[in-house]
Amino acid sequence: MSERLPKQSGGKKPLNKNQLLKRNRIRNARSIRAEAVAASSSKHASPSDLSESGGKLKVDQFMNSRQFEVKQLQLAMHNSKGASSTRIFQALPRKLRRRTASHNVRRIPKRMRNRALREMRKSDQQQTLKNSSASSRKTHGLNAKQLYRAKMSIKLLRLASKSTSMKLGMPLDITSSKCHVRQKIKSLKRMIKESSNPNSNIIRLNNRMGSYDTTGLNELASTPKGRIKYTKRQKHFAWLPTHIWNAKRSHMIKRWGYQVPWAPTQKCFKLTHRLGGDTCASDGALCLDSSHIGTIVVRDSNSDTKGEFLKSIIGKLTSGRASLNKYRRSQTLFQGLIYSFSENSPRPLGPCDIFWIQDDTVVLRLHPSIFTQVFEIFIQYIDKLTIQDCRYSLASITLKGAKALESLASCLRSTKHCTSFEQFKDTSKITDHAILPQRCTFAFEAIDPRHLAAPKKLNDSQRKTYSSDDILSLQVNYPQSEINSVLKQLCDPDSRTRSYNNQNTLKEISARRSELLATTPNHINKTTIPFKENSDPSIPLVIMRRPKTSDWIVMLPWFWLLPLWHQLNRIPRVYHIGLRQFQQIQYENEQLYFPDDYPFTQLGYVENSFYKREASKTKWDRKPKGKKINFERVKDIHHTQLPAYKGEIGDFFSSDWRFLQILKNGLDYLQCDDKDLKLMDSKKTGQFGDQGIRIINCLNDVLEFHKDYETKVTAEPLPVEENVPITLCKLSKCQTPPKTINSNTSSLDLSIQPRCTIAISCRFLERGHPKDNARIYRISEEHLDHWMQVAEGVYRSNGRKDHDLEIPLPEVHDLIGFITSGTYHLNSGNGMGIGFIDHHSAIQQSARYVLIRNVGTNIYRLAKWSEISV
């Protein structure tokens, strides 16, 4: 008989049988049994052992007497954790939860399937059969409905061209010649014929998977043709090899001609910090499909000069860095900036990776936004160089974390014995990759990753430890000849095409595994399909360590990436990430991320001033009026309120580098010849010269000039590539010193002459954290003593730090830079931001302290900055 609630319950429904069972199960799980003190006490224990009257407590006897209660407490905590999970699908981790798992038993781990089947039988739930949807339709050619429509279309076209009554019923302008009836009938017949022989359209290929090499030789490569079903979706934005896999698990963005994963759908900020950061907590790996990074293979056509012309071109592109023997002869990966070919002042385009295969062959990995510009530079020397556009023929995976090499070693097997693969096996056991040498490259020919039924660690019982001598052997016994032979195959279109020879389909892989399981009695060999040298394909593959970013790059042919990706993501503690997580890793390592943290380049300036600005402004516009900040009414931002600006200064939704350029150039103009700085002139209004140019007499005029400039640019936009407001230089020495600002300088030069800036990272010394586009101010000499006391700490009488001090406000002209990426740093436990400050202002500072203020606020935080080497 079911239990009923009393009448005073407010008329609630009585609990049914299942609800009562669930309530009792939770109560039993949370109940903690206790043991009487008399029963637990020992024979020789005195009554005062457990007394609270001030007697001496014997800890060991007390713990032994309470041992039963401690075990019951742990048992209750364990039972209560899973008491509310009534179904096995509710006990799955968040990564494996899917809506389809509620009826498809194959979507859950094998260890849970028996219990899931029992629960499904108990509830009479229908089970999903394997390949039930795939077996109901044809996988090749036309299905029955499409074949019927094609045949009926041919009959109707023939009838319409012969029947006089149908011709009279049609409009006069519609005739057989104008409608191309014969061509349409031929195309329909061809379609029906191809559907009867589904392999007729891929006879020219050497595999049944449809894999082919798409390389542009001395020209830009065409976008690879995917399935006809997705042709319209790939018309303007190419798909990466893992697009369909990532589209189900990540947020995708369309940028730079690709559809790239932006971030996983699940929360992964802390996970990325633990696994991808340089911490001891990393016990896994993060992987990113980085095939959107374009690859160019350049070879010197003149073999007699030993690549001297190619050396000069690479040296000119990288300001003489990548052509050094350290990178050219020793095969060390170069990471740095690449510059345009400008005779007067070469402009930085962005970061790049350069790897020399031989003296006359080099591989460049470039961001897709600057790929075309660099390719056009090489095309100018087409008579001396051979250029390959390998954007769609070479794919890559970026891995980060302690188990990056171990996870790769679980998926890859070499086709034959080679020194590089043996070194890779030994190095995969190392979790601290910082101890490895700067030149750490592995290259070998691998078998199809699908030959492994599941990723499996390499069993090497002979090697249990890895000493310092083994690390040195990576440099001494570097197998350069083996690595060069594999790299030549990887950079040759014909070799990449041969790697697809006899590429097996999933059905053929399954058939070979079933045959192996049926014929092979040895259980050890049942998991791996043996490699047949005469028929099975071999994959040229290279694994390179990038010392600057401390991650690993795996490069292989385009259509071999997806099999490796599937195996890689089956390994426990290996998670996929997107561009957002890669930016987080760069931020935590205090490194710049392209293009967000590169405002001194054309692409970085456009990213900040247009794309990110429009996104922030659109988000602000969508908010209701009562919930969005009115930037023009923010009070107490600066000590002196100038008439030119009310509230926030500069652009509200971006880092206004144009404002910084005009402000700092205007300050140099007003203070030239040791003049005193005048903030504003209350006796005069704005004055203009003969040509309508504003006359600069005080700081307020400089701010008014900036407003005039923004109005002019809005009406007539200027070319971005010719007017980037800032340049990058080093703190010790300015690479591109600006022209001297003197009294003869025209006010137009304030917006033309770029400002030299340095890249810095700012760490907060107090609470709070910076946000993107936060303003950076210098500390004036009269306020320096106050902020130095704040840096040391001002404490109250109770010993706690005082955060409610009255702070002196800076002036408008104390602005020296902006934060490009800022948030809370999980590793250091405080706020940190990456930004740029004016070079001239940084030199004049006696202490490396700055003030940071987020946009739309009047709260200043003290931070200490350090320079970032680019």
Side-chain angles (χ1 to χ4, degrees):
M1 184 174 179
S2 62
E3 180 182 349
R4 292 184 179 275
L5 294 176
K7 294 182 179 180
Q8 290 81 3
S9 61
K12 292 184 179 179
K13 292 183 179 181
L15 302 179
N16 56 31
K17 184 178 179 180
N18 292 334
Q19 290 172 338
L20 287 173
L21 290 175
K22 183 177 180 180
R23 170 181 284 188
N24 294 333
R25 182 172 63 251
I26 295 176
R27 286 178 177 175
N28 295 333
R30 295 178 179 176
S31 63
I32 305 174
R33 299 177 62 188
E35 189 178 14
V37 176
S40 61
S41 300
S42 60
K43 297 180 181 180
H44 304 285
S46 60
S48 61
D49 288 341
L50 301 177
S51 175
E52 298 180 0
S53 60
K56 186 177 180 181
L57 178 64
K58 298 181 179 179
V59 180
D60 53 347
Q61 294 182 6
F62 178 77
M63 292 303 298
N64 292 334
S65 64
R66 298 293 101 184
Q67 185 177 7
F68 178 80
E69 280 81 355
V70 173
K71 290 183 178 180
Q72 290 298 319
L73 176 62
Q74 294 176 350
L75 183 63
M77 293 170 62
H78 177 73
N79 294 336
S80 178
K81 182 179 179 180
S84 60
S85 297
T86 58
R87 303 276 294 189
I88 190 62
F89 303 104
Q90 298 172 351
L92 289 175
R94 292 175 65 250
K95 185 181 179 182
L96 298 177
R97 290 178 190 173
R98 303 284 189 275
R99 284 193 298 267
T100 52
S102 60
H103 66 274
N104 190 352
V105 74
R106 293 174 180 84
R107 298 299 300 271
I108 65 174
K110 292 183 179 180
R111 66 181 184 274
M112 299 180 177
R113 289 183 183 178
N114 292 332
R115 180 182 165 187
L117 289 172
R118 291 196 301 268
E119 292 176 353
M120 295 170 74
R121 294 192 196 100
K122 183 178 179 181
S123 60
D124 296 332
Q125 188 174 353
Q126 185 179 2
Q127 302 175 18
T128 303
L129 299 178
K130 186 178 181 180
N131 296 331
S132 60
S133 59
S135 60
S136 62
R137 63 178 184 271
K138 293 178 64 177
T139 57
H140 299 285
L142 302 176
N143 56 23
K145 187 176 181 180
Q146 293 172 342
L147 185 62
Y148 173 78
R149 284 185 174 181
K151 291 182 177 180
M152 288 300 299
S153 299
I154 293 176
K155 293 181 180 180
L156 290 174
L157 288 174
R158 286 176 176 174
L159 182 61
S161 62
K162 294 181 180 180
S163 175
T164 307
S165 60
M166 293 188 69
K167 287 181 179 180
L168 294 175
M170 294 180 181
L172 297 177
D173 21 333
I174 296 180
T175 60
S176 300
S177 59
K178 289 184 178 181
C179 295
H180 306 286
V181 176
R182 292 183 179 180
Q183 286 82 351
K184 290 182 179 180
I185 292 175
K186 286 182 180 180
S187 62
L188 288 171
K189 285 184 176 180
R190 192 182 306 112
M191 185 189 302
I192 295 172
K193 185 177 180 181
E194 291 177 354
S195 66
S196 60
N197 185 12
N199 296 327
S200 61
N201 57 341
I202 57 173
I203 291 178
R204 63 182 183 277
L205 300 179
N206 58 6
N207 60 88
R208 294 172 54 86
M209 292 287 291
S211 303
Y212 62 99
D213 187 74
T214 307
T215 303
L217 188 60
N218 295 331
E219 62 179 2
L220 292 175
S222 58
T223 307
K225 297 179 181 179
R227 294 173 57 183
I228 300 177
K229 180 180 180 181
Y230 306 120
T231 302
K232 292 184 179 179
R233 307 183 195 179
Q234 304 178 37
K235 187 176 182 180
H236 303 290
F237 295 92
W239 284 10
L240 300 183
T242 62
H243 174 82
I244 297 179
W245 191 95
N246 270 304
K248 298 177 180 180
R249 299 164 178 86
S250 306
H251 300 288
M252 310 295 289
I253 60 171
K254 296 181 179 180
R255 291 296 304 274
W256 312 300
Y258 292 92
Q259 294 197 36
V260 191
W262 168 244
T265 53
Q266 294 181 351
K267 295 180 180 179
C268 56
F269 187 80
K270 290 185 179 179
L271 178 69
T272 304
H273 163 71
R274 294 192 187 103
L275 300 185
D278 295 332
T279 60
C280 298
S282 179
D283 60 343
L286 302 173
C287 57
L288 169 69
D289 184 1
S290 54
S291 302
H292 63 282
I293 303 296
T295 306
I296 301 179
V297 179
V298 185
R299 185 174 60 85
D300 198 331
S301 302
N302 191 356
S303 59
D304 298 334
T305 60
K306 295 183 179 180
E308 290 297 327
F309 180 75
L310 179 60
K311 176 185 176 181
S312 63
I313 295 297
I314 297 298
K316 196 174 181 180
L317 277 173
T318 59
S319 186
R321 295 178 59 192
S323 58
L324 300 176
N325 290 335
K326 172 185 177 181
Y327 305 105
R328 188 165 176 250
R329 299 288 173 84
S330 302
Q331 285 190 339
T332 303
L333 182 68
F334 168 80
Q335 285 183 275
L337 288 174
I338 194 167
Y339 297 85
S340 62
F341 270 24
S342 178
E343 298 294 338
N344 299 328
S345 58
R347 295 179 291 104
L349 299 177
C352 71
D353 298 340
I354 297 179
F355 188 81
W356 288 87
I357 299 177
Q358 286 181 334
D359 291 343
D360 59 346
T361 309
V362 68
V363 177
L364 293 89
R365 298 181 72 250
L366 301 162
H367 194 271
S369 58
I370 62 174
F371 184 89
T372 307
Q373 301 181 40
V374 179
F375 190 85
E376 290 175 354
I377 293 176
F378 286 112
I379 286 295
Q380 300 175 6
Y381 309 97
I382 196 174
D383 54 337
K384 299 181 180 180
L385 300 176
T386 303
I387 307 105
Q388 296 182 30
D389 179 9
C390 302
R391 285 179 296 174
Y392 309 116
S393 56
L394 284 178
S396 64
I397 299 177
T398 303
L399 292 103
K400 176 78 173 177
K403 298 297 181 66
L405 287 183
E406 183 180 345
S407 58
L408 279 176
S410 303
C411 305
L412 298 176
R413 299 292 185 271
S414 178
T415 58
K416 56 186 178 181
H417 181 274
C418 63
T419 307
S420 184
F421 182 71
E422 294 299 324
Q423 290 182 350
F424 170 66
K425 286 197 306 182
D426 297 336
T427 312
S428 63
K429 302 173 185 178
I430 300 176
T431 56
D432 186 7
H433 300 148
I435 65 175
L436 295 176
Q438 206 173 24
R439 181 185 64 175
C440 195
T441 305
F442 310 102
F444 51 89
E445 296 183 23
I447 67 174
D448 191 343
R450 297 173 297 174
H451 282 198
L452 300 175
K456 187 179 179 181
K457 295 182 179 180
L458 293 170
N459 294 326
D460 193 359
S461 58
Q462 299 178 359
R463 297 295 303 272
K464 296 182 180 181
T465 59
Y466 206 72
S467 61
S468 58
D469 296 336
D470 299 324
I471 299 175
L472 294 176
S473 67
L474 296 176
Q475 287 284 83
V476 178
N477 302 327
Y478 183 71
Q480 190 165 359
S481 59
E482 289 184 2
I483 292 177
N484 286 342
S485 63
V486 177
L487 287 172
K488 286 181 181 179
Q489 298 181 36
L490 191 63
C491 298
D492 183 27
D494 297 333
S495 299
R496 289 193 296 267
T497 303
R498 286 194 298 270
S499 69
Y500 300 132
N501 190 18
N502 297 329
Q503 188 180 19
N504 293 331
T505 61
L506 288 176
K507 284 188 176 180
E508 293 172 346
I509 292 287
S510 300
R512 292 180 62 178
R513 181 166 289 111
S514 300
E515 182 181 355
L516 180 66
L517 292 173
T519 57
T520 307
N522 191 2
H523 182 71
I524 299 177
N525 298 328
K526 290 183 180 180
T527 56
T528 305
I529 299 176
F531 174 75
K532 298 179 181 179
E533 187 176 357
N534 298 328
S535 59
D536 287 341
S538 61
I539 309 170
L541 180 142
V542 61
I543 304 172
M544 294 182 292
R545 178 176 177 264
R546 301 200 298 176
K548 188 175 182 180
T549 53
S550 300
D551 52 14
W552 297 87
I553 298 294
V554 184
M555 292 182 62
L556 68 170
W558 182 270
F559 288 98
W560 279 117
L561 182 134
L562 190 59
L564 176 60
W565 181 266
H566 282 159
Q567 292 284 52
L568 198 62
N569 282 271
R570 295 175 63 185
I571 302 175
R573 301 295 294 170
V574 173
Y575 300 91
H576 67 283
I577 59 174
L579 295 181
R580 181 67 184 90
Q581 284 65 48
F582 188 74
Q583 181 182 7
Q584 176 190 343
I585 295 173
Q586 295 288 90
Y587 160 80
E588 293 187 350
N589 294 335
E590 298 186 17
Q591 295 176 356
L592 304 183
Y593 171 75
F594 187 81
D596 297 47
D597 298 329
Y598 283 76
F600 54 90
T601 64
Q602 175 189 345
L603 270 302
Y605 180 67
V606 171
E607 182 78 16
N608 171 75
S609 302
F610 293 94
Y611 291 107
K612 294 182 69 174
R613 182 190 181 279
E614 289 301 320
S616 301
K617 189 176 185 305
T618 303
K619 184 179 179 180
W620 182 81
D621 290 336
R622 289 177 179 176
K623 292 183 179 180
K625 189 175 182 180
K627 291 188 177 181
K628 57 184 179 183
I629 302 174
N630 191 344
F631 297 99
E632 296 180 353
R633 293 191 177 183
V634 181
K635 299 180 180 180
D636 300 330
I637 295 182
H638 303 107
H639 182 266
T640 305
Q641 184 68 39
L642 298 180
Y645 273 91
K646 292 182 180 180
E648 187 61 72
I649 59 172
D651 188 81
F652 308 146
F653 308 103
S654 66
S655 300
D656 200 342
W657 302 107
R658 185 70 62 191
F659 179 83
L660 181 68
Q661 175 199 23
I662 295 176
L663 176 65
K664 289 302 175 182
N665 286 338
L667 288 174
D668 292 345
Y669 173 75
L670 292 174
Q671 293 178 334
C672 63
D673 300 332
D674 297 332
K675 294 180 181 178
D676 295 333
L677 179 63
K678 186 188 298 184
L679 297 182
M680 59 182 176
D681 192 353
S682 59
K683 299 180 181 180
K684 296 181 181 180
T685 58
Q687 296 180 342
F688 296 87
D690 298 335
Q691 299 179 357
I693 302 175
R694 183 178 293 273
I695 300 175
I696 307 298
N697 293 321
C698 59
L699 182 61
N700 190 72
D701 294 337
V702 176
L703 303 183
E704 292 288 356
F705 175 80
H706 174 260
K707 294 170 67 176
D708 298 342
Y709 180 85
E710 291 296 326
T711 305
K712 180 181 177 181
V713 170
T714 304
E716 300 177 2
L718 298 176
V720 178
E721 61 273 7
E722 298 179 1
N723 202 10
V724 177
I726 61 174
T727 59
L728 180 68
C729 63
K730 293 183 179 180
L731 182 63
S732 58
K733 183 179 179 181
C734 182
Q735 294 178 346
T736 56
K739 293 186 296 184
T740 304
I741 302 295
N742 51 36
S743 58
N744 298 325
T745 303
S746 173
S747 59
L748 291 177
D749 294 337
L750 302 183
S751 60
I752 296 176
Q753 179 59 39
R755 296 294 299 187
C756 292
T757 58
I758 60 173
I760 62 169
S761 64
C762 305
R763 290 185 180 272
F764 276 19
L765 302 181
E766 296 179 301
R767 59 176 65 172
H769 64 273
K771 297 181 181 179
D772 294 355
N773 309 322
R775 276 54 173 158
I776 305 176
Y777 293 82
R778 72 178 183 92
I779 301 176
S780 58
E781 292 295 333
E782 58 268 21
H783 301 157
L784 184 60
D785 295 337
H786 170 81
W787 288 110
M788 292 300 292
Q789 292 180 3
V790 174
E792 295 175 358
V794 179
Y795 297 91
R796 300 176 182 174
S797 58
N798 57 3
R800 294 187 177 182
K801 205 170 186 179
D802 191 0
H803 298 283
D804 299 330
L805 298 174
E806 292 186 3
I807 61 173
L809 297 177
E811 297 287 356
V812 180
H813 56 83
D814 291 331
L815 180 74
I816 59 174
F818 297 94
I819 294 291
T820 56
S821 298
T823 184
Y824 187 81
H825 198 286
L826 291 175
N827 193 16
S828 60
N830 54 9
M832 194 198 79
I834 293 176
F836 293 81
I837 61 175
D838 182 63
H839 175 265
H840 182 66
S841 302
I843 293 177
Q844 295 178 344
Q845 287 187 348
S846 57
R848 293 193 173 187
Y849 290 103
V850 291
L851 301 179
I852 299 180
R853 178 182 60 84
N854 289 328
V855 184
T857 65
N858 54 8
I859 300 175
Y860 290 86
R861 301 293 186 188
L862 182 65
K864 190 172 185 179
W865 64 270
S866 59
E867 186 181 7
I868 298 177
S869 61
V870 183

